[in-house]
Amino acid sequence: MVDELIKILNRENIEWEIYWEVGRGSSFKIEKCKLERAQRKYHSGIGLRVGYHGKQGFSYITGINHDKKTLENFVKRTIKLAKVGEVKFHGFPDKKPIKKVRGIYDKRISDLTFEEAFELGKEISLKEQELRNKFGPEYTFSGRLAFGFAKDGVINSNGINEEEEGTAVSFGIYIVRKGRRTGTGDYYKGSRQMIDFGKELETGLEKALEEVKLSYEARKLEPYEGDLVLEPHSLASLVGLFLSNLRGDSIYYKRSRFKGIGEEVASEAFTLIDDGTLEGKLGSYSFDGEGNPSQRTILVKNGVLSSFILDETYARFLGMESTGNGVRDFRTPPHIGTSNIVIEGKEENLEDFEGIVVKKVFGEHTTNPISGDFSLTVELGYIVKNGDKIPFKDNMFVGNIFEFVKSIQAIGKKKEELGAFISPRTLGFGKIV
């Protein structure tokens, strides 16, 4: 597939790296119980990086089947960009042993025809129409369904030559009730393996309708400061801020709150992990966009900073080893990203917690990742009292992420997966206004 391109590159006095990918996807959008949109898309392309006299050039080409002349011009263009550019070249990774991650490819998804996927979309829309007839015109049901297959590979002049296939399916439901008030609820499921849609649809509708009921009845909470529990959705918003301070580029350019390994950055009850090796998880892969092996990286262990999130470039800048976190597609050079983020720590049973529970927040894009200050709108929370839930919403959850992680007292035992974020409930100290 790229043999001719390799021959052309080997005639030049350069170091080089090829990243290629091919893929296809089907997506379906359901609006107000009707299948409004059905799409099938294909993509393929090659990204090329070269190192020439200490400078780096990058360009890409769509498609993977090209004649020799097109490929020669592609190489010339990329070398020219290195010559005239200002991006310094720091080398490509050397070949390392790669352990294949299991469960990230399912033939049932890659073999699924568009017509078969379309029928699944129709089934979901019909089920939602049944429910609207049951619940009445105050309720609006919407949803999304998507299937994807991709194959990618990395080859470089240092001997790396890896390729991998992957699949994914995602399914989401969104329900709105509009009467004298408004209530919303949703459900999302993503998987590398084919899911049981009948079972998942029933589960999703049940959970989304429960959220709608709580949201519809919710009022603003009186100001509160003290112990509270964050459900995984809310915790994910805060952890995203924290993670930006662990990126190698943030450390190198001194945009991070942290200075070095060994700092106490959270309570002893908190452990944070980036793990691309988990079987069958959405964020898993055998190798990253530079050909480095994925790995399990403990970023924070019992409150102590243990590692940064690194690609090859910033690992070299910092005198460290890549953690296998160079992510990309063929249109971009590698950059630092996460795989599966896992929260662990001092476990307690938080499922029976009585008190303030914050289920969902939004507005994290307005926060300052360096200062850590946040002011997030509570989309849904509730007070648990004698087993009953008293819902609230439209308050502000305010504080500082670095102070919050130091206040964590316990981590729950029951993990929930939100895409590539895997976490139980978390007990800490917070303020709601």
Side-chain angles (χ1 to χ4, degrees), residues 363-398:
E364 55 269 29
H365 62 283
T366 65
T367 59
N368 186 322
I370 299 177
S371 71
D373 293 333
F374 61 84
S375 181
L376 306 174
T377 302
V378 177
E379 184 177 347
L380 182 61
Y382 48 86
I383 307 166
V384 181
K385 190 173 183 180
N386 299 322
D388 295 326
K389 293 180 180 178
I390 305 167
F392 65 90
K393 65 180 180 181
D394 297 332
N395 292 86
M396 302 302 294
F397 176 40
V398 300

Side-chain angles (χ1 to χ4, degrees), residues 7 17 31 124 127 129 134-135 141 186 256 276 291-292 297 309 311-312 315 326 419:
K7 289 178 184 177
E17 172 198 79
E31 288 286 351
I124 294 171
K127 179 65 176 178
Q129 183 62 57
K134 175 182 176 181
F135 286 97
F141 295 81
D186 59 45
S256 171
N292 279 316
T297 305
I309 307 168
D311 64 358
E312 183 71 22

Side-chain angles (χ1 to χ4, degrees), residues 264-311:
E264 291 186 11
V265 297
S267 82
E268 293 182 355
F270 182 72
T271 292
L272 177 64
I273 301 164
D274 178 279
D275 194 345
T277 69
L278 295 173
E279 181 175 342
K281 302 305 182 185
L282 280 178
S284 296
Y285 46 82
S286 300
F287 56 89
D288 71 359
E290 298 175 283
N292 279 316
S294 66
Q295 66 181 52
R296 174 183 168 88
T297 305
I298 300 177
L299 301 169
V300 177
K301 183 175 183 180
N302 300 331
V304 177
L305 181 57
S306 302
S307 180
F308 303 128
I309 307 168
L310 302 168
D311 64 358

Side-chain angles (χ1 to χ4, degrees), residues 50-107:
V50 302
Y52 179 83
H53 292 180
K55 293 198 290 185
Q56 177 180 290
F58 171 81
S59 65
Y60 71 88
I61 188 169
T62 56
I64 55 173
N65 296 311
H66 300 280
D67 59 40
K68 184 177 179 181
K69 185 66 175 175
T70 300
L71 293 175
E72 286 176 339
N73 288 335
F74 179 38
V75 171
K76 287 179 182 177
R77 181 174 77 242
T78 311
I79 294 173
K80 182 178 180 180
L81 288 170
K83 289 178 179 178
V84 301
E86 299 297 329
V87 179
K88 292 183 179 180
F89 177 64
H90 299 280
F92 297 124
D94 294 321
K95 184 176 178 60
K96 303 178 184 70
I98 301 291
K99 184 177 180 181
K100 292 294 183 181
V101 176
R102 302 179 61 181
I104 61 176
Y105 171 80
D106 188 339
K107 193 172 186 296

Side-chain angles (χ1 to χ4, degrees), residues 221-262:
L221 181 70
E222 290 297 317
Y224 170 84
E225 186 171 7
D227 290 345
L228 49 74
V229 160
L230 296 188
E231 291 203 357
H233 189 286
S234 296
L235 183 63
S237 298
L238 296 185
V239 169
L241 296 174
F242 189 83
L243 284 168
S244 66
N245 286 266
L246 301 180
R247 293 165 49 105
D249 51 351
S250 295
I251 299 296
Y252 182 76
Y253 291 112
K254 302 187 186 306
R255 296 193 301 259
S256 171
R257 178 73 168 251
F258 310 130
K259 294 181 173 61
I261 304 301

Side-chain angles (χ1 to χ4, degrees), residues 24 26 40 105-117 147-149 165-167 194:
R24 62 181 180 273
S26 303
R40 183 114 199 212
Y105 171 80
D106 188 339
K107 193 172 186 296
R108 294 172 296 175
I109 298 176
S110 64
D111 288 351
L112 190 73
T113 66
F114 183 76
E115 291 72 23
E116 290 170 331
F147 301 89
F149 161 79
E165 292 181 313
T167 53
M194 184 64 83

